[in-house]
Amino acid sequence: MWEYAPAPESRDIANLKPNYRMFVDGKFVEGTGEPLKTINPATEEVLAEVSTASQSDVDTAVKAARRAYDRVWSKMPGSERAKYIYRIARQIQERGRELAVLESLDNGKPIKESRDVDVPTAAAHFFYHAGWADKLSYAGYGPDPKPLGVAGQVIPWNFPLLMAAWKIAPALACGNTVVLKPAETTPLTALVLAEIIQQCDLPPGVVNIIPGAGDVGAALVEHGDVNKVAFTGSTDVGKIIQRQLAGTAKKLTLELGGKAANIVFDDAPLDQAVEGIVNGIFFNQGHVCCAGSRLLVQESVADELLEKLHARVSTLRVGDPLDKNTDVGAINSREQLTKIKELTESGEAEGAQRWTSSCPLPDKGFFFAPTVFSGVSQAMRIAREEIFGPVLSVLTFRTPDEAVAKANNTPYGLSAGVWTEKGSRILWMAQRMRAGVVWSNTFNRFDPAAPFGGYQESGFGREGGRTGLEAYLDV
């Protein structure tokens, strides 16, 4: 058994400030909403106080975005817009270590994930979309596609910086201006991104970032001068937004919850599949909308796979997110931890067999040990509801048709995975599964050039790639 000495990253690198202000019209200003305190979920300590927006601040931000759109950004040649977007990407790279540490402090995810996944992918989205800014007439949406106007964007707490880049980069490339509301529990990296935007001399008002709770997001979505709404978050809130915008001229994309099936056939390389399963559900503490939270295993290899899976999960290290050896960090909030506990208790109550890693947990902070349920039926809550935590439900199947039926037996449809050595079977499965993304012999692989999005209660519209540009163009 390997023993790992602590290898903590210095929190001083984050350049943490005691106070953060919202970013409107190119300046950092005090919001008139009730200030919020953002905490470190690994220690429960207050990291900083953040000023928040009121309804009047939302109106001010939207007006600033409209002025910038009318006077500067929509009139600027794509080649000039690209220079600004490229500059932002380079600055994210330059300040990558600072952003990674700050993300882990504010969100709770392990530093190796924020350092190796979140920050590089955020920069990649800006690099990629900088390349599209002067090529929109070749994107397949007509010879001279036009932007929409002001985009109101609301992002979640699971990938704060990455989701900001995911939303802002295509909007800017297409000639829109932006008002972005970060999640109330994780506003800090979005506000540091605002510093980067200011340093890059982006024209005032092109990007505005307004922290706050759900009421701020609601005011932004409902604002009469917003032309486009992009929301990533829970299905329940997505339904509310869709009802609010029904009958209006606003363009809408929703990327919502998921209950992805990760399917392992008996001819799959099991050791490789185990690594993919672990990455699919325990990456970012399971705080991933496309997490492979339902494992479907062919009956003939189910016992062998479970044995290998338990052995691998028992080696995962849970603890300090800033320790470079940590595999599973802190749950983002006490509220989310309570939800995870409630759903796992329901799994036991309904008769599933619970296996939980015996790894030690820190005394302080919001932590939950990796958990695997076997003997799960499709009627159980843990097989139907999104847990959004490090909890895996294992079901079995005998035939490919049964695997497809069970994979599709969900109101969601965001992602899926297939593990088999037969390419023909992968294609056969992918054609029949109702999921926006199907990974073959891998899981949780993302690229700015690949469109991402779901079906059914996982939302609609695509983000990323050439297809994702359509959401920000008047076509």
Side-chain angles (χ1 to χ4, degrees):
M1 182 71 179
W2 285 97
E3 291 293 336
Y4 289 84
E9 181 66 280
S10 171
R11 63 178 287 161
D12 294 338
I13 294 166
N15 294 322
L16 197 61
K17 303 171 188 173
N19 301 97
Y20 288 81
R21 296 182 294 171
M22 67 182 195
F23 183 67
V24 176
D25 206 13
K27 301 183 291 292
F28 287 95
V29 297
E30 288 292 342
T32 56
E34 186 69 27
L36 64 83
K37 289 180 169 61
T38 184
I39 70 166
N40 180 347
T43 62
E44 302 179 55
E45 66 171 315
V46 174
L47 291 171
E49 185 172 276
V50 180
S51 74
T52 67
S54 64
Q55 188 140 353
S56 63
D57 294 324
V58 173
D59 188 55
T60 301
V62 173
K63 286 178 178 175
R66 175 59 61 188
R67 280 195 305 272
Y69 175 79
D70 289 340
R71 298 177 185 178
V72 182
W73 200 246
S74 64
K75 293 178 169 57
M76 187 180 290
S79 57
E80 292 301 310
R81 291 200 306 270
K83 293 176 184 177
Y84 286 105
I85 300 168
Y86 185 86
R87 201 177 300 165
I88 293 169
R90 290 290 291 123
Q91 282 298 309
I92 290 173
Q93 287 185 320
E94 291 284 340
R95 299 178 66 173
R97 194 174 177 196
E98 171 194 350
L99 286 164
V101 175
L102 186 61
E103 194 78 298
S104 290
L105 283 171
D106 199 25
N107 172 274
K109 67 178 63 192
I111 183 67
K112 65 182 181 183
E113 292 180 6
S114 54
R115 177 196 65 200
D116 298 342
V117 179
D118 293 41
V119 174
T121 311
H125 272 273
F126 280 103
F127 277 127
Y128 175 78
H129 287 96
W132 268 116
D134 63 346
K135 303 174 187 68
L136 296 175
S137 57
Y138 304 99
Y141 300 115
D144 188 24
K146 301 296 183 185
L148 292 166
V150 177
Q153 303 175 330
V154 181
I155 59 174
W157 47 259
N158 56 338
F159 292 95
L161 177 66
L162 178 54
M163 284 293 105
W166 195 300
K167 295 282 190 286
I168 293 172
L172 297 188
C174 292
N176 303 279
T177 54
V178 169
V179 181
L180 177 109
K181 191 205 85 72
E184 61 186 295
T185 61
T186 54
L188 299 187
T189 48
L191 293 171
V192 173
L193 178 61
E195 289 179 14
I196 289 171
I197 286 167
Q198 189 181 54
Q199 290 166 359
C200 292
D201 294 324
L202 201 69
V206 172
V207 174
N208 307 271
I209 297 178
I210 51 171
D215 59 323
V216 177
L220 177 59
V221 166
E222 294 169 358
H223 197 284
D225 205 21
V226 168
N227 305 103
K228 156 74 182 177
V229 172
F231 172 78
T232 297
S234 74
T235 295
D236 288 343
V237 175
K239 289 178 178 178
I240 293 171
I241 292 172
Q242 190 173 6
R243 281 194 292 267
Q244 289 172 335
L245 300 190
T248 72
K250 293 180 184 178
K251 204 165 185 177
L252 174 65
T253 51
L254 296 173
E255 198 260 278
L256 309 175
K259 194 70 179 174
N262 208 356
I263 304 169
V264 180
F265 284 92
D266 57 6
D267 63 339
L270 295 189
D271 290 328
Q272 180 184 337
V274 164
E275 293 303 314
I277 294 162
V278 168
N279 179 53
I281 185 59
F282 300 118
F283 172 69
N284 197 33
Q285 300 76 252
H287 298 335
V288 186
C289 50
C290 56
S293 54
R294 289 185 299 148
L295 174 62
L296 274 59
V297 190
Q298 200 152 19
E299 273 188 9
S300 57
V301 293
D303 291 341
E304 182 183 358
L305 183 73
L306 266 180
E307 184 179 344
K308 289 177 178 288
L309 182 61
H310 290 170
R312 179 65 180 90
V313 174
S314 65
T315 68
L316 297 177
R317 298 174 294 276
V318 180
D320 180 9
L322 290 187
D323 191 329
K324 301 180 189 74
N325 293 320
T326 295
D327 298 305
V328 180
I331 304 303
N332 181 253
S333 66
R334 187 181 299 279
E335 179 185 6
Q336 185 60 29
L337 180 60
T338 301
K339 178 187 175 185
I340 294 168
K341 288 180 175 178
E342 191 265 326
L343 278 166
T344 52
E345 287 166 4
S346 80
E348 287 186 280
E350 290 180 330
Q353 287 81 56
R354 176 176 179 171
W355 178 92
T356 297
S357 173
S358 58
C359 62
L361 298 180
D363 295 329
K364 293 185 70 176
F366 312 134
F367 291 92
F368 193 87
T371 296
V372 178
F373 280 100
S374 57
V376 178
S377 76
Q378 296 181 83
M380 293 179 182
R381 290 181 64 196
I382 56 172
R384 293 183 290 108
E385 298 181 27
E386 185 178 38
I387 300 173
F388 223 61
V391 180
L392 178 65
S393 299
V394 182
L395 300 89
T396 61
F397 67 92
R398 293 180 180 177
T399 66
D401 285 323
E402 185 184 358
V404 170
K406 287 187 172 180
N408 288 341
N409 186 20
T410 174
Y412 299 106
L414 191 55
S415 64
V418 181
W419 297 82
T420 175
E421 67 173 14
K422 294 182 176 65
S424 58
R425 178 180 283 163
I426 291 167
L427 295 173
W428 187 90
M429 293 288 292
Q431 288 172 343
R432 288 159 176 79
M433 286 193 292
R434 293 195 299 269
V437 178
V438 179
W439 287 291
S440 62
N441 294 324
T442 188
F443 210 90
N444 276 342
R445 295 289 181 181
F446 300 98
D447 190 288
F452 183 85
Y455 294 100
Q456 304 186 113
E457 291 193 6
S458 289
F460 51 80
R462 295 294 180 265
E463 295 178 307
R466 183 191 66 83
T467 308
L469 298 173
E470 182 184 3
Y472 290 96
L473 294 171
D474 187 13
V475 294

